[in-house]
C-alpha cells in the first residue's frame, strides 16, 4: 500500500448536480477530489472535478482522467499500470503510488462512483473487484500465489480457548501476504470473530490463564496490522474498546502485565469545562482519546516493516478529530458560553485555566483540517471574540494561563497575521498603550522567567511575523504596511527597546548576567530585522532616540554573543550605505566602541576579530568616502600597526587618493569636463585615444604619456587643458612638498580635534589631536562637524583652492572618481556627482 500518514479527507456531499465546463457532466457519482501526499505526510487538495476512464493513445493504455468542474481543465491524467498497487479505503477512496515518492488519492462523493472506477482498474489488472488492494506488495513464490488464488476464502478455526495458539499462528502467517491479509480480514468481518475472541479474553482472565492471554495479545496485535477500517470500527466501539486494551496488557515479552485499563478508568478524568449536550459528540471525544492512547502507549513501536501497516489507524484518529472540531464549531451556545466564562472576572483561576487549556487543544485539533475548513474555523473564533479574550487572559497573573494563551495567540498569528494587526490597530483607538495586545506580548517576552528564554524566543518569532512587510497586504486605497508600521513605532517600539535603553545608560552594560544578555540579543535580532525591512520608520527612530550609540555600549559585554549582536546591528546599518546614517555615525563618533573592542580583543583570531575587520573591509571595497575619511582621520593611529590584513592600509590608500583629488583639483576639473562632453554627445563614437584617456587611471600614467583631448574643447579652458606632461611635473612637485610637510607634522594634526580615546589593552594609544582640549564637538571653536574631512592646516587650504577653481570658467561642480587600480571604468561611471556647495553642506551639517 502507498506509504501514507493518513487517508485524505472525504469529499463533502452536496445536493444537486455538478457540471463540468458548462454542464457536460451533471451526475455526482463521478465527482471527486484529487489529493497528493506532501513531504510532511499530509494530503494536499489539488482540486475538484469529474473522473472518467478511457484509452489514451499518448500513454498507450487505459487511463484515469479528472477534469476540473470549474473550467474543464485536466487535473489528472494517470495510466492504469498493470503492476501498480491500487488500494480502496472506506468505500469512497482510491489510493496509489504514481512514482516512488508520489502518492495520489481520489476521494469520491458517492460510493457508486468509486465502485465503478475500481471495477475499471481491476479489469485492467485482471483482479476481482471484491479485493481492497490489487497487487501483492511482498514477493511470493508462484506456488504460494497459486494456492491463494485457487482457494475461494480463508476458513478460520472455531473460536475456542483450546485453539487460541492455532488462531495466533494463522494470523501471523497471513500478515506477509497482502492477499492472505485481505481474506483474513473478510473472514474476521463476516463471522463476528472479534467479539467471540473478547469473550474468551474474559474467560482467560477469570481463570488466570496467562498462556491464553499471551496468545490473545498476539492475535489482537495482528488484527491491528491488517489495517482495516471495518475491523477498527468494531474494536473501537463502546462495548469492545476496553476489552481490546485489556488484551494488549498481556505482552509476552514483559514479565508483568500493564495496567492500561486502570489508568483510563481511574486516573484519566474527563472534564467538561463547558457541559456537552450532544451524546454523539461526547462519545466521539472518549473514543478518540482512547484510540490515541492505544496508538501512543499500548501498541509497541512498529518496526520498519510494520510502520505502513498502521496508516488506517492514523486516518481513524485524524477523521475523528475533524468531526469533533466540526461539531463543536457548529455549537454556537457552547462557544458563546466558553468565551463568556473566559473573560468573566468572577471565574475562579482553576476554572479559567481549564477553559484556556481546552481552547488551546481545540486550536491544536484545527491543524488537522483542510485549508478551507481551517479558514472557517478561525473565522468563527474571530467572530466569537477570541482576540479580546486573549487580551484579558494575558493581563492576568496566572503564569500557566498566560502560557496557554500565548500558544493560542501563536496559532492565530501563523494562520492570519493581518487579522491580528487589524485588531490591535482598532483597539489602539480605545485603549492605553499599556494594555494593547502586542505590548502585553512584548512584556511577557521581557519577563520570561525561563533561564533559556524558551517562551521569549517563541514570542519574538511571532512579533517578527507581525512586523514583516512581506506578509502585509496592499489594497487600492491603503497599504497595511504604512498603517501598521506607523502604529507599531508610535505605540509599541518604546516597550520593546525599554530593557535595552535601561541597561545602557553608562559606558558598559549595567546588568550583564546571562539571562539579560540573552534577552537583549533577542531584542537586537528584531531591531536588525527592522533595519533591513522598515527603511524610514526605523531610521527616524534610531537617529532620534540615539539607539545605535546605546546598542554599541553592549560591545563591552562579557558575553561575546551579545557584543556580536551589537556589531551585527551596526554592520546592517552601514550595509545600507545611507548618508543619513553615515552622518549620524560620524557626528557621534560611533566607531569608537568598535575600535576599542577590536584593540581589547588583541591578537586573538576569533569571530569578533573577523567581524570587525569585515566591517572595515566593506567600507573600503564599497568606497564609502565619508566613513573612510572619518575612520582614517580619527582612528588611524590605533589601526596603523595592524598588518596581518591589508584592510586598514587599503582604507588609508583610499583616503590619500581622496586627498590627492582635493589637493589637485585641476585633474578632477579636467575629467569632469571630459565626462560632461562625453555624456552630452551620446550619439558620437569616441576615438580610441579618448577611450584610453577615460580608462586610464592617473596613477598608471607614465611621464610624457600623450593624451588626445576632444576636438571641441571649450574656448575658456585652455589653462585647464595643459599638456599632461606639465601636469605630471606639478604633481611630482606637490608630492615632494607633502612629504616634507608630513615629516614635520604628525598625521594627528589632520584628524578631528574633538576625538579622544583611551584603551584598556596592554599598549594604550592616544588619538587626541594637539588642539583637542579646546575644540569639542559643537563648541564655538570647533572648525566643523566631527564627520567633516575639513580640519586646520592643509585641508582648509585645499578646500579654498577647490572652491576657487570650481567657479573658474563657469564650472558648477566636481565629480569624484576613485583612483584605485582594482576598479574598472564601469564603477567609475557610477560615481556620485555633487556640486561643491552641496558637498560643503553635507560635510558641515
Amino acid at each position: 500500500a502507498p506509504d501514507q500518514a493518513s487517508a485524505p479527507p472525504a469529499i463533502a456531499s452536496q445536493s444537486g448536480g455538478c457540471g463540468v465546463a458548462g454542464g457536460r457532466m451533471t451526475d455526482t457519482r463521478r465527482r471527486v477530489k484529487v489529493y497528493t501526499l506532501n513531504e510532511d505526510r499530509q494530503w494536499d487538495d489539488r482540486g475538484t472535478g469529474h473522473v472518467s476512464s478511457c484509452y489514451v493513445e499518448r500513454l498507450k493504455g487505459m487511463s484515469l482522467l479528472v477534469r476540473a468542474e470549474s473550467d474543464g481543465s485536466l487535473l489528472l491524467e494517470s495510466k492504469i499500470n498493470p503492476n501498480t498497487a491500487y488500494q480502496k479505503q472506506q468505500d469512497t477512496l482510491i489510493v496509489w503510488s504514481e512514482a516512488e515518492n508520489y502518492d495520489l488519492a481520489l476521494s469520491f462523493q458517492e460510493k457508486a462512483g468509486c465502485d465503478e472506477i475500481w471495477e475499471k482498474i481491476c479489469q485492467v489488472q485482471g483482479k476481482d473487484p471484491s479485493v481492497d488492494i490489487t497487487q501483492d506488495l511482498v514477493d511470493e513464490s508462484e506456488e504460494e500465489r497459486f494456492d491463494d488464488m485457487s482457494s475461494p476464502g480463508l476458513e478460520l478455526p472455531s473460536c475456542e480457548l483450546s485453539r487460541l495458539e492455532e488462531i495466533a499462528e494463522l494470523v501471523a502467517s497471513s500478515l506477509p501476504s497482502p492477499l492472505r491479509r485481505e481474506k483474513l480480514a473478510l473472514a474476521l468481518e463476516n463471522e463476528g470473530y472479534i467479539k467471540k475472541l473478547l469473550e474468551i479474553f474474559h474467560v482467560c482472565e477469570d481463570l488466570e490463564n496467562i498462556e491464553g492471554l499471551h496468545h490473545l495479545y498476539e492475535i489482537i496485535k495482528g488484527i491491528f496490522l491488517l489495517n482495516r477500517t471495518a475491523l477498527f470500527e468494531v474494536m473501537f466501539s463502546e462495548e469492545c474498546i476496553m476489552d481490546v486494551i485489556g488484551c494488549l496488557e498481556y505482552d509476552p515479552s514483559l514479565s508483568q502485565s500493564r495496567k492500561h485499563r486502570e489508568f483510563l478508568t481511574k486516573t484519566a478524568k474527563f472534564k467538561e469545562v463547558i457541559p456537552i449536550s450532544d451524546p454523539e459528540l461526547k462519545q466521539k471525544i472518549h473514543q478518540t482519546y482512547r484510540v490515541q492512547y492505544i496508538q501512543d502507549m499500548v501498541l509497541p513501536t512498529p518496526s520498519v516493516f510494520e510502520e505502513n501497516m498502521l496508516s488506517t489507524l492514523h486516518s481513524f484518529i485524524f477523521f475523528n478529530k475533524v468531526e469533533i472540531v466540526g461539531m463543536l464549531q457548529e455549537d454556537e451556545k457552547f462557544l458563546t458560553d466558553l468565551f463568556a466564562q473566559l473573560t468573566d472576572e468572577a471565574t475562579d483561576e482553576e476554572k479559567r485555566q481549564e477553559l484556556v487549556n481546552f481552547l488551546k487543544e481545540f486550536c491544536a485539533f484545527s491543524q488537522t483540517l483542510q485549508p478551507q475548513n481551517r479558514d472557517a474555523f478561525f473565522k468563527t473564533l474571530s467572530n466569537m471574540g477570541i482576540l479580546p479574550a486573549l487580551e484579558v487572559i494575558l493581563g492576568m497573573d496566572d503564569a500557566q494561563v498566560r502560557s496557554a494563551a500565548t500558544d493560542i495567540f501563536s496559532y492565530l498569528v501563523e494562520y492570519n497575521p493581518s487579522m491580528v494587526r487589524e485588531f490591535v490597530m482598532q483597539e489602539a483607538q480605545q485603549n492605553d498603550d499599556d494594555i494593547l495586545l502586542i505590548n502585553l506580548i512584548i512584556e511577557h517576552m521581557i519577563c520570561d522567567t525561563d533561564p533559556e528564554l524558551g517562551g521569549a524566543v517563541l514570542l519574538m518569532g511571532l512579533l517578527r511575523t507581525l512586523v514583516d512587510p512581506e506578509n502585509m497586504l496592499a489594497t487600492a486605497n491603503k497599504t497595511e504596511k504604512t498603517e501598521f508600521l506607523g502604529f507599531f513605532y508610535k505605540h509599541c517600539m518604546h516597550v520593546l527597546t525599554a530593557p535595552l535603553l535601561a541597561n545602557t545608560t553608562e559606558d558598559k552594560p549595567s546588568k550583564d548576567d546571562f539571562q539579560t544578555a540573552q534577552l537583549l540579543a533577542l531584542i537586537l535580532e528584531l531591531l536588525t530585522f527592522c533595519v533591513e525591512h522598515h527603511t524610514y520608520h526605523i531610521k527616524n527612530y534610531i537617529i532620534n532616540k540615539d539607539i545605535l550609540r546605546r546598542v554599541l555600549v553592549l560591545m563591552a559585554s562579557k558575553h561575546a554573543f551579545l557584543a556580536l549582536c551589537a556589531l551585527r546591528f551596526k554592520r546592517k546599518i552601514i550595509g545600507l550605505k545611507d548618508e543619513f546614517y553615515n552622518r549620524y555615525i560620524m557626528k557621534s563618533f560611533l566607531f569608537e566602541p568598535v575600535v576599542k573592542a577590536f584593540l581589547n580583543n588583541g591578537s586573538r583570531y576569533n569571530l569578533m576579530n573577523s567581524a570587525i575587520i569585515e566591517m572595515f573591509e566593506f567600507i573600503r571595497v564599497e568606497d564609502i568616502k565619508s566613513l573612510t575619511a572619518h575612520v582614517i582621520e580619527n582612528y588611524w593611529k590605533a589601526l596603523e600597526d595592524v598588518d596581518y590584513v591589508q584592510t586598514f592600509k587599503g582604507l588609508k590608500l583610499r583616503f590619500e587618493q581622496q586627498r590627492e583629488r582635493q589637493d589637485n583639483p585641476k585633474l578632477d576639473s579636467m575629467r569632469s569636463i571630459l565626462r560632461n562632453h562625453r555624456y552630452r554627445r551620446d550619439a558620437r563614437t569616441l576615438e580610441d585615444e579618448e577611450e584610453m584617456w577615460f580608462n586610464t587611471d592617473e596613477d598608471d600614467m607614465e611621464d610624457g604619456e600623450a593624451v588626445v583631448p576632444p576636438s571641441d574643447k571649450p574656448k575658456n579652458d585652455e589653462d585647464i587643458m595643459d599638456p599632461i606632461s606639465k601636469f605630471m611635473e606639478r604633481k611630482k612637485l606637490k608630492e615632494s612638498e607633502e612629504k616634507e610637510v608630513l615629516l614635520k607634522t604628525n598625521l594627528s594634526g589632520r584628524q578631528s580635534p574633538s576625538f579622544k580615546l583611551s584603551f584598556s589593552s596592554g599598549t594604550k594609544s592616544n588619538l587626541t589631536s594637539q588642539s583637542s582640549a579646546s575644540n569639542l564637538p559643537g563648541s564655538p571653536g570647533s572648525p566643523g562637524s566631527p564627520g567633516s574631512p575639513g580640519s586646520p592646516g592643509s585641508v582648509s587650504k585645499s578646500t579654498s583652492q577647490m572652491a576657487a577653481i570650481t567657479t573658474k570658467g563657469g564650472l558648477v561642480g566636481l565629480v569624484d572618481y576613485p583612483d584605485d587600480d582594482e576598479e574598472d571604468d564601469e564603477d567609475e561611471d557610477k560615481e556620485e556627482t555633487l556640486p561643491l556647495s552641496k558637498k560643503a553642506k553635507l560635510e558641515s551639517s
Side-chain angles (χ1 to χ4, degrees), residues 446-704:
I446 292 170
C447 301
D448 188 5
T449 55
D450 178 10
E452 298 297 325
L453 293 186
V457 171
L458 168 66
L459 293 173
M460 184 58 74
L462 298 178
L463 283 174
R464 180 169 174 158
T465 302
L466 287 174
V467 301
D468 187 355
E470 294 296 322
N471 61 44
M472 293 183 184
L473 305 173
T475 58
N477 53 359
K478 63 176 182 177
T479 61
E480 187 180 21
K481 178 180 176 181
T482 304
E483 289 190 357
F484 181 75
L485 292 183
F487 156 82
F488 184 79
Y489 280 88
K490 181 178 180 182
H491 297 280
C492 308
M493 186 57 99
H494 66 280
V495 183
L496 178 66
T497 56
L500 172 68
L501 297 175
N503 209 37
T504 54
T505 53
E506 307 295 333
D507 291 339
K508 60 181 182 179
S510 51
K511 282 182 69 179
D512 205 18
D513 58 281
F514 179 71
Q515 192 165 354
T516 303
Q518 269 196 310
L519 176 63
L520 294 179
L522 275 177
I523 293 171
L524 278 177
E525 185 181 335
L526 185 60
L527 289 177
T528 305
F529 176 83
C530 293
V531 166
E532 186 175 5
H533 293 90
H534 290 178
T535 58
Y536 67 90
H537 288 96
I538 188 71
K539 186 194 303 181
N540 291 340
Y541 191 82
I542 288 173
I543 294 175
N544 292 336
K545 302 289 184 182
D546 200 13
I547 295 294
L548 180 56
R549 184 177 65 81
R550 304 294 283 273
V551 166
L552 291 175
V553 170
L554 301 176
M555 293 286 293
S557 170
K558 67 183 179 184
H559 300 284
F561 71 87
L562 180 57
L564 286 165
C565 280
L567 184 65
R568 190 182 305 120
F569 179 71
K570 179 172 182 179
R571 172 64 177 80
K572 186 66 71 175
I573 288 174
I574 290 176
L576 297 176
K577 297 190 284 186
D578 186 314
E579 276 303 314
F580 283 99
Y581 277 131
N582 292 347
R583 287 203 296 274
Y584 163 60
I585 290 170
M586 294 184 296
K587 184 176 181 181
S588 301
F589 285 92
L590 295 181
F591 276 102
E592 179 176 341
V594 178
V595 174
K596 188 181 290 187
F598 181 68
L599 296 180
N600 286 342
N601 191 62
S603 59
R604 284 175 293 176
Y605 178 48
N606 54 17
L607 192 55
M608 178 64 72
N609 174 276
S610 298
I612 293 175
I613 289 174
E614 190 278 334
M615 177 188 289
F616 286 111
E617 182 68 11
F618 177 81
I619 294 171
R620 186 194 71 80
V621 170
E622 296 295 324
D623 194 18
I624 306 175
K625 293 180 172 56
S626 56
L627 295 185
T628 300
H630 176 75
V631 169
I632 297 302
E633 288 175 349
N634 295 288
Y635 308 97
W636 173 245
K637 279 219 163 210
L639 302 171
E640 63 179 336
D641 293 332
V642 180
D643 54 5
Y644 54 86
V645 290
Q646 297 302 307
T647 296
F648 301 109
K649 287 183 170 53
L651 272 177
K652 182 69 161 46
L653 179 62
R654 290 278 199 200
F655 175 72
E656 288 171 347
Q657 289 169 348
Q658 291 178 38
R659 282 301 174 88
E660 278 183 16
R661 286 195 295 276
Q662 292 175 6
D663 293 343
N664 299 283
K666 287 189 177 183
L667 177 63
D668 267 351
S669 301
M670 181 159 52
R671 300 179 81 171
S672 175
I673 293 164
L674 291 171
R675 290 188 181 277
N676 286 341
H677 281 296
R678 177 185 183 183
Y679 292 138
R680 278 202 298 270
R681 291 184 300 280
D682 290 335
R684 182 174 64 84
T685 305
L686 291 173
E687 300 286 328
D688 291 342
E689 292 84 349
E690 290 175 271
E691 282 288 350
M692 287 172 57
W693 164 257
F694 290 121
N695 291 326
T696 304
D697 216 289
E698 63 236 39
D699 292 340
D700 298 333
M701 293 181 185
E702 299 291 333
D703 282 349

Side-chain angles (χ1 to χ4, degrees), residues 262-278:
E262 184 179 326
F263 172 82
L264 289 171
T265 54
K266 296 180 181 178
T267 308
K269 300 294 182 185
F270 176 63
K271 289 185 179 180
E272 291 183 79
V273 290
I274 303 290
I276 297 173
S277 55
D278 186 348

